[in-house]
Structure formats: C-alpha cells, structure tokens
Amino acid sequence: MSQTPGSQALGSRTADPLAAERAALADLFARPDPLAALAADGWLEALPDPGGAWETAGVATAAAEAGAAAERPVSAGSLFAGAAALAAAGADPDGLAGVLVDVRADGDELRGRLWAPAAADRVVVALPGGGLGVAALDAAELGDDPLLGLDRVDVRTARIPASRVDALAGPEPGAVHLGRVAHLLAAEAIAAAEAATARTLDYLGSRQQFGRPIGAEQALQHRIVDMHLRCLSARTTLDRATDAWEAGDDERATVQAWRAKLLAGDGGVWTIENAIQLHGGIGFTEELGLGRSLWAAQRARALLGGHEAAALRVAAAVPGVPAPAPIDRALEFAPASGSRPGSAHPGSVRA
Amino acid sequence: MSTEAWRDRAIAWIDEHPPPTGAPGSGNRTPASPEEHEAWAAWTRALHEAGLATAHWPARWGGEDASPAEVREITRVLRRAGAPLPLTDVAINLVAPSIMAHGTEAQQEALLPGIRSGEAIWTQLFSEPGSGSDLASLRVRAAPRGDGFVVDGQKVWNTYAHLATHGYLLARTGEAESRHRGLTMFCIPMDLPGITVRPIVELTGHADFNEVFFDGVELGPDAVLGEVDGGWAVSMGTLGDERRVVGNLVLGLESDVERMADLLGRLDERAEPYRVRFGVVAAEVAALTAIVEGGGFPHRLEGAGKIMFSELNIVLGQLGVDLAAAFPDEVPLGWARRWSDAYTYTRGYTISGGANEILRNVIARRGLGLPRS
C-alpha cells in the first residue's frame, strides 16, 4: 500500500506503486472527451467483460463517434478507472481498478459506492469535496449495495480506512475532476438512451398488430417523439460540455457537465423505461438488453449524490442562487484522524 | 455592428424607455384601458423608431441586417428589463417575412413601411369555428367578383383583431372540397365595410383574442399575397419561420429563470426543495437555448421547439405560483401577480400555433417516418 504523499512530492519519488495510475488518469482527464478518447485508443476492445454485463449498447454511440468499431457497452465510470489501472498494469486485466464515488467520512473510514469490474484490486476515490485519491482494495471491505448493480455491472459498497487513501494530485481542482466524472456518467446514459430510442423507432415500424405497424398508433407516436426530445436536450448539453472541455474552459464545462448529468439521468431513465414499454413483452426480456441500458441511466441519475444533488448544483450555477450546502456537506470528505501530512492538493485527504 | 454593440444600444434605449405600466411579462397581451393602450402603443412605436424591432430587416426596408445572434441579444436585454412583446409582434414575426418573400413590389412598398414604423398592428385570420387543427378544411369564402373578391364567413382566436389596422387572411377561393389546394392569402385593411370584431374573454380574465365576422367584404386583386389558390404555401412559410419565434420565446424563459434565481437568493433553506425543481427547469431551459442557438432543431424534429418551450413554460409558471404561495412574506405581491398571470397564460401556448398533439403527429409521420394512424 502506498505511503506516497501528495502532489508536491510526486516527481521526486522513485518507488511509487501507483505512479502509473496517476499518469494514466492525468492523461485521460487531459482529453476533451475521455470516453471517446478511450474508444479511439482501443480500450473498449481491451477491457474484459465481466458477467457479460458490457454487451449491450452502453457507449456504442460515443464509441462510434470516436471512430471505433467497438459495440461493447461499458460503464463509463468503471471504464475510466479500469483504463487507468490497465495502463498501470500493462493491459493485465488483473490490475483493473474501480472508482469510489458518493464518498463520505465515517469515523476513520471512508464509505462510498464502488463501481468497478469484479477483478478490481485498486480503487480511485472521487471526492465530491474535491480531488481524487487512490487506494488498494480489500475484498473484506466490500458489501452489497442496496440500490445499484441489478444489471450486473459491479456496484458495491466499500469501506476503506481513510489513512490508506493517497491523495492524487492533478492540475485541476477537485470540482473539475468531479465534473468530468459527471460528464462520463451522462455520456453513458445518453448513449444508452439514444440507442434504445433508435431501436424502439425501428420496432414501431416493423412490429405488426391488428394488421398494421404498431407505430401507426398515435399514443405510441407521441411517446417516441418525446423520447427523441429528451435525448436531444441531454445530447446538446453534453456536446456543449465537451466543447467547453475542449476550449479549456473548465468552469463552464463543469456547469454543462452537471446539467448533462441531470438531463441524462432523468431523461435517460424515462426514455429507456418507455423503450421497454413500447417493446411490450420482448422489452421485458433479459435477452433484449434494455434492462442493462436502464441501469446505465439509473447510475447516471443516482451516483454523485443523485437527482437532487445534481439539480441543486445546476441551480447554484444560476447567478443569485445559493450553493447547495446541505447535500455537499453530507458528501464532503471530512478530516479524518490518521491522514498523512503532505497531501496538499485542495480538497484532498489532509489532517 | 457586433453583438456587444447591439446589447449596449438596447440597454441604452430601455434605460430611457422603461416598459409601459401594466404590461405583463409574456405573450401577446391587451392593454387593460385606453390610457394603458396609448402608453403601450407609444412605447412600441419608440422601439420601432430606434430600429430595435426590425434590426434583422434588410437595409432596403429600413433594417440593419442584424444576425440572429444580434437579434437575440436585443430581445434578451428587453426581456430582462421586463418589457412586453411589442404590439407589432405578429406583424414582425409572421406577416413581414411573408410579404418580403411573396409580395409584389407594390405590396411591399404599401405595407412594409407601416410595419417598420410600428404604426401598423396586424392580426392573423386563420382559424375558424370548424377549422382549428385541421386548417385545410377552412370555409371562409373569398368568391371571385369582377377582378376582385367578396369575403363571407367567420374567423376565430384572432389575437389583436380588436386593435388591428391590418389582417392576414387565409380564405377559400377554390371549391368547397379543394382542401389546401384552394386557399389564398390576403393582406387586408381591418376597417373595410362588413368586418365585425368581437373580443373573447379568455381564462386569464383578459380579452386578447377575438372572433371576426365577414359579411360581403369586398377586396381588390391587389389584396392577394402570392398566387390565387397558392395560400397554403404562404401560410406554411409563416409557420416555418419557427426558429426566430421560438428563439424569442425561449429568451422569455431565460429571463424568468434569472428572475426566479433572484428570488431564491433571498429565501433561506426552507426554499431548498424549490431549488431542486428550479435546477431541473434551469437545465431544461439551458438545453433548449443551446439547441436554438446551435442552429436549431434537426430537420426530423422540426416543430419541436414550440412543444418544448410551451411545456417548460408551464413547469416554470407552476414553480412561480408555488413559490409565491409558500413564501407570501418574501415574494413581492407584484411578482406573485405576475407569475399567476404568466402561469395562466401558459395554457394558451400549448394550443396556439398548432396544438402540441398535432405537432407530435406531424413529427412522428414526416420526421420519423411512422405511418398515418
């Protein structure tokens, strides 16, 4: 386990077991669209597919935009964390890492939701209060998560001694890092919702009942129009976020990313629920895969504090509206005993 | 001029010309008294005189060729200052583009200067008691007589007809069953003998729209805009100028969001549940603004802007009403009244300009290629 101090010491340490993770994360976060960048670099091909969970259309859209042929869906958060670990481990799947989000301090421990491939033995800690950390992962510290993981993407609760979390320094403030995670969550949900909408439109045109396509029914026509509109709002917002990252305007990008996460979480869940409904019985089957799409959208909605926290952040971005103190406090990384000195990155683990 | 220059010019103007008293924040609304009407009409004329209402017009007709982004900036400044839509909104956004596209040289010279100056108030004469969503079934007849026409029948839901100097009339010149192939567009003075206007009181308590009766109204050949029996294409062009119209409406939402943020900033943590709702609607408004400013809706979703605007408008209006009810001591009475009125008026936008249900039908069939039911 690492005893590496924070950012200032990074360059001078020679025996840093997590140096590769740091480098990979820094590289990843430096890209305008981390998800597309991963696809372009072939990470989607390289990542393993635990439990067949990544077979449906999670990030197919984003991947296609990046010019990759990959059709395999991945959960964006575990993807970025896993990619960092892959870089560290020379593409050895055993070295996969997960990401710990919704982190809060509980005594000497940090509790959060681990979102990772089953094989992960390291965790990247996303701190809502700011900054990222890394820690080794002990299976004994994991538990079943009450909410997530019904699509078999591995989401579990984790408790990690705060003293073991090592602050990960970067050039960006923690809020910006968190904005990037929100961006990834949104991207995954939007890709899932767009794919579900496209296949639903196809189905409405081809499935026959009462001697004609079910898409001739006005009630279903109105529903599919609204599915398109929810996707359009979220997609346009996500693209604005991507543009802002690309332009180096992190502040604007962070605001746009939270808007995208809010719209993609709400709109994605609504859209995919309706995709299931409009497919009828076949929509309810495991085989069609809309259940996995639904949970991709549920993750975008639920993680990082959920719908309410995202809405409060978006509200606070409008001049005049107070910052969302209560929810942020609940998630804030409180000082914990046992923290090491020297973790000087703002918002990181410090005494 | 640049966007910034237009913004400065609009700010300088609105500082000198504060919005008329009694004017509600949104919609095409009627002044409550003759005094209010005079103040409001004078404000409208001053806006035109300053060149701010028709900035996007070509120089030939007294405009300054302002870009869509520049026009948005002007509108943004006016909305933020609480200005109403000018009484000439229908003329500027619906009628003038059609006259420029389809009018003869003589018609343009006769009609455009009045719109440019803000003197001419226009009303759209499309809907009828038996022809609402199914516009192509309309029955008001313009029968050929001599080289002109005689108009008989009834129109309804005609905003500003009681104030209007001019009417933008779609009438049947073909056979009764000719549907959209037998319609012609006319530009008419509203003071012709045989025209009767009766205001209709809306559920807002105001009378902004009317029914209009035609009893043997005689029109000359020069009243025809475009081709005889070619009115459908002209009317579709009118409805197709959606981007600017929706763009203006979205700016109204944006300024409502800003106003509500101002209020939320004055309230303590009791208002937090409302901030959650506010965040959701703020994200939706920002997304709609981004769509409009990013080049508009994709072709297959054309018409969706009105759906999205009008339904968001209701959500925002409801939030305003709820805040006013929950915080009677903190929300100024003027704001509360304004929101109550704005909320009530929102119910009209989901119906006018093509009911949202009809627009969804059209998008599903034309845009998404689904079969007719």
Side-chain angles (χ1 to χ4, degrees):
Chain A
M1 167 189 338
S2 169
Q3 290 299 316
T4 310
S7 55
Q8 277 69 16
L10 269 183
S12 62
R13 302 289 287 212
T14 49
D16 176 7
L18 293 169
E21 278 95 327
R22 298 176 201 286
L25 274 172
D27 176 54
L28 184 63
F29 282 144
R31 315 275 190 105
D33 182 344
L35 195 56
L38 286 171
D41 290 354
W43 288 111
L44 302 192
E45 308 267 341
L47 285 169
D49 186 7
W54 296 350
E55 278 168 11
T56 48
V59 294
T61 306
E65 283 175 0
E71 283 292 324
R72 47 176 21 176
V74 245
S75 74
S78 70
L79 177 66
F80 97 83
L86 271 176
D92 174 3
D94 291 341
L96 274 177
V99 60
L100 191 71
V101 295
D102 295 355
V103 179
R104 62 192 169 84
D106 183 10
D108 291 345
E109 290 179 328
L110 295 180
R111 304 178 60 165
R113 284 204 160 98
L114 174 69
W115 185 16
D121 63 359
R122 292 167 196 181
V123 62
V124 177
V125 184
L127 305 170
L132 291 178
V134 284
L137 199 59
D138 185 334
E141 292 161 354
L142 304 182
D144 289 335
D145 190 280
L147 176 63
L148 300 170
L150 296 189
D151 60 345
R152 299 186 209 153
V153 168
D154 225 344
V155 177
R156 288 189 278 174
T157 57
R159 309 169 64 97
I160 301 172
S163 60
R164 220 170 68 212
V165 177
D166 185 25
L168 188 70
E172 298 169 321
V176 175
H177 280 305
L178 201 65
R180 292 195 188 271
V181 177
H183 186 168
L184 288 167
L185 286 164
E188 185 184 21
I190 290 166
E194 286 175 341
T197 299
R199 67 197 295 185
T200 304
L201 181 59
D202 285 346
Y203 190 71
L204 292 182
S206 61
R207 167 72 174 167
Q208 303 258 337
Q209 286 289 276
F210 305 107
R212 61 179 189 173
I214 61 172
E217 302 293 341
Q218 196 181 50
L220 308 194
Q221 291 182 346
H222 288 195
R223 206 76 61 80
I224 191 76
V225 168
D226 288 339
M227 289 163 69
H228 279 85
L229 298 185
R230 297 295 288 264
C231 287
L232 179 66
S233 283
R235 160 63 66 183
T236 305
T237 307
L238 183 81
D239 289 349
R240 283 293 174 101
T242 305
D243 292 347
W245 292 124
E246 210 150 47
D249 187 345
D250 290 347
E251 193 178 335
R252 191 162 55 90
T254 302
V255 171
Q256 294 285 10
W258 279 102
R259 284 179 183 154
K261 179 190 179 289
L262 181 63
L263 296 173
D266 292 0
V269 167
W270 186 88
T271 296
I272 296 163
E273 281 174 352
N274 278 289
I276 294 169
Q277 176 69 19
L278 267 54
H279 274 86
I282 197 77
F284 196 62
T285 62
E286 197 272 345
E287 187 186 356
L288 198 70
L290 287 173
R292 290 188 285 273
S293 304
L294 179 62
W295 280 94
Q298 287 289 2
R299 273 192 297 278
R301 190 180 146 98
L303 291 175
L304 306 185
H307 166 88
E308 284 73 13
L312 287 174
R313 281 176 186 276
V314 172
V318 182
V321 179
I327 284 185
D328 263 8
R329 260 205 305 277
L331 293 174
E332 207 164 298
F333 196 176
S337 61
S339 297
R340 295 167 310 280
S343 301
H345 187 278
S348 65
V349 187
R350 50 193 308 178
Chain B
M1 288 179 81
S2 65
T3 307
E4 293 71 31
W6 277 109
R7 179 192 307 150
D8 293 344
R9 187 164 145 190
I11 289 173
W13 185 84
I14 195 73
D15 283 349
E16 290 285 307
H17 301 80
T21 326
S26 63
N28 290 305
R29 309 299 294 276
T30 298
S33 65
E35 293 73 31
E36 267 187 23
H37 176 241
E38 191 32 55
W40 207 343
W43 181 86
T44 296
R45 286 193 300 273
L47 181 75
H48 279 261
E49 201 172 307
L52 294 172
T54 54
H56 57 291
W57 281 23
R60 182 185 169 206
W61 297 115
E64 297 178 52
D65 295 299
S67 70
E70 289 166 345
V71 172
R72 263 198 303 279
E73 202 53 42
I74 297 169
T75 309
R76 187 172 270 137
V77 169
L78 298 177
R79 291 289 93 79
R80 275 189 183 144
L85 290 176
L87 293 170
T88 47
D89 182 54
V90 174
I92 297 163
N93 286 311
L94 298 178
V95 181
S98 289
I99 294 176
M100 289 185 195
H102 301 281
T104 62
E105 190 72 28
Q107 284 172 324
Q108 292 178 350
E109 279 173 12
L111 298 172
L112 292 176
I115 297 178
R116 170 63 183 84
S117 70
E119 303 281 342
I121 311 291
W122 284 71
T123 184
Q124 178 181 287
L125 302 163
F126 284 14
S127 294
E128 298 178 10
S131 303
S133 295
D134 182 11
L135 186 61
S137 73
L138 67 81
R139 290 162 60 188
V140 163
R141 178 97 180 116
R145 180 185 296 174
D147 60 355
F149 301 84
V150 177
V151 183
D152 286 284
Q154 185 195 343
K155 292 287 179 182
V156 74
W157 317 139
N158 312 115
T159 300
Y160 287 163
H162 59 306
L163 307 174
T165 55
H166 293 76
Y168 187 58
L169 169 71
L170 190 62
R172 185 158 302 285
T173 39
E175 296 304 314
E177 298 307 316
S178 58
R179 300 278 304 168
H180 59 275
R181 292 178 304 278
L183 301 175
T184 300
M185 191 70 79
F186 298 91
C187 293
I188 65 171
M190 286 297 284
D191 58 359
L192 292 176
I195 296 179
T196 307
V197 177
R198 278 196 210 140
I200 300 171
V201 179
E202 296 140 32
L203 53 71
T204 56
H206 299 269
D208 304 318
F209 59 24
N210 304 268
E211 47 189 352
V212 176
F213 299 87
F214 294 85
D215 184 12
V217 176
E218 296 180 12
L219 301 179
D222 56 343
V224 175
L225 186 66
E227 303 292 323
V228 172
D229 291 341
W232 188 253
V234 178
S235 73
M236 289 300 107
T238 299
L239 301 174
D241 203 25
E242 187 194 18
R243 206 200 293 182
R244 193 173 64 249
V245 175
V246 172
N248 283 341
L249 294 171
V250 171
L251 286 169
L253 291 180
E254 198 182 85
S255 64
D256 283 347
V257 163
E258 288 170 2
R259 212 162 280 132
M260 203 169 280
D262 191 33
L263 174 61
L264 286 169
R266 303 172 183 213
L267 300 174
D268 56 27
E269 64 274 8
R270 288 175 300 149
E272 191 157 291
Y274 300 87
R275 274 186 234 155
V276 172
R277 285 170 60 190
F278 172 79
V280 173
V281 72
E284 299 273 8
V285 169
L288 182 53
T289 305
I291 293 167
V292 170
E293 295 189 348
F297 284 79
H299 184 61
R300 67 203 303 239
L301 298 178
E302 228 165 68
K306 209 278 284 192
I307 297 176
M308 291 174 73
F309 154 74
S310 59
E311 294 178 3
L312 262 178
N313 195 29
I314 291 172
V315 175
L316 199 55
Q318 181 70 65
L319 181 54
V321 168
D322 289 350
L323 274 171
F327 302 98
D329 297 335
E330 289 89 348
V331 179
L333 191 58
W335 291 21
R337 287 207 176 116
R338 188 185 169 101
W339 267 319
S340 302
D341 176 79
Y343 162 73
T344 314
Y345 195 78
T346 62
R347 306 309 321 192
Y349 278 120
T350 52
I351 301 166
S352 65
N356 287 10
E357 289 73 18
I358 296 293
L359 292 176
R360 285 185 166 93
N361 289 348
V362 171
I363 293 169
R365 288 167 202 160
R366 285 197 206 140
L368 303 180
L370 290 171
R372 185 168 279 277
S373 51

